[in-house]
Amino acid sequence: MEGGSWAPRRWPCLPGITLLALASLLSCLLSSGQAKVYSRCELARVLQDFGLDGFRGYSLADWVCLAYFASGFNTAAVDHEADGSTNSGIFQINSRKWCKNLNPHVPNTCQMYCSDLLNPNLKDTVICAMKIVQDPQGLGTWEVWRHHCQGKDLSDWVDGCEL
């Protein structure tokens, strides 16, 4: 045998940021397998069952309009903002204040992970949205609602849905 010793080959350690990125990607891939894109009337019925019609003075049509312009009725929608925050789920709820993402230093007012908002069941999403609407801005917290839904005739959003 020649000089020197045999040692097992070492694998390079991935930096922490790479591991976080891989975990985030895996989370997106896993949740996308559970994605659901609701139809307008199907979503209206689900939101009505959760008690959103008339909640804090907002009609069911307000909520359906918000969901359409926020995510296209897609429960797995995730949008990444320039500040590093994310908007998640059918209502695009932001991680800056409302849910917990990878940043441990956020308020997490809804007391849930942002990935919980990607569930097609919508229970966690509705619970969080109800907390958000109690904010003084109400649905005005969502810029898309202010621009596309506020002050408009929204009756078409629930027309023909047999609620």
Side-chain angles (χ1 to χ4, degrees), residues 2-163:
E2 291 185 16
S5 65
W6 179 87
R9 187 174 197 172
R10 289 185 174 229
W11 294 99
C13 292
L14 293 174
I17 192 73
T18 304
L19 289 175
L20 286 175
L22 287 173
S24 179
L25 177 62
L26 181 60
S27 171
C28 288
L29 291 174
L30 290 174
S31 63
S32 67
Q34 302 174 5
K36 177 165 179 67
V37 179
Y38 280 86
S39 71
R40 177 179 59 87
C41 289
E42 181 185 20
L43 180 64
R45 283 189 291 276
V46 168
L47 298 180
Q48 183 179 48
D49 290 346
F50 277 117
L52 285 182
D53 192 15
F55 184 76
R56 302 296 262 190
Y58 296 102
S59 70
L60 195 55
D62 280 302
W63 292 99
V64 174
C65 181
L66 167 63
Y68 175 77
F69 286 106
S71 69
F73 303 141
N74 184 356
T75 63
V78 177
D79 182 42
H80 299 275
E81 297 289 339
D83 68 358
S85 68
T86 57
N87 300 313
S88 301
I90 204 161
F91 294 132
Q92 291 293 277
I93 295 172
N94 191 273
S95 65
R96 210 174 303 113
K97 178 177 180 182
W98 303 106
C99 60
K100 183 177 181 161
N101 226 352
L102 297 176
N103 183 352
H105 306 293
V106 296
N108 192 9
T109 305
C110 290
Q111 296 297 303
M112 61 184 62
Y113 288 97
C114 297
S115 59
D116 296 338
L117 302 170
L118 304 176
N119 190 326
N121 158 300
L122 296 184
K123 179 184 172 194
D124 291 327
T125 299
V126 169
I127 289 169
C128 187
M130 290 172 126
K131 287 181 183 177
I132 294 170
V133 168
Q134 293 176 44
D135 192 73
Q137 289 184 311
L139 279 181
T141 302
W142 282 275
E143 184 178 342
V144 294
W145 181 83
R146 290 192 316 266
H147 289 253
H148 299 283
C149 311
Q150 185 176 25
K152 299 193 169 130
D153 177 9
L154 302 176
S155 57
D156 286 349
W157 287 105
V158 293
D159 253 5
C161 290
E162 300 178 19
L163 299 168

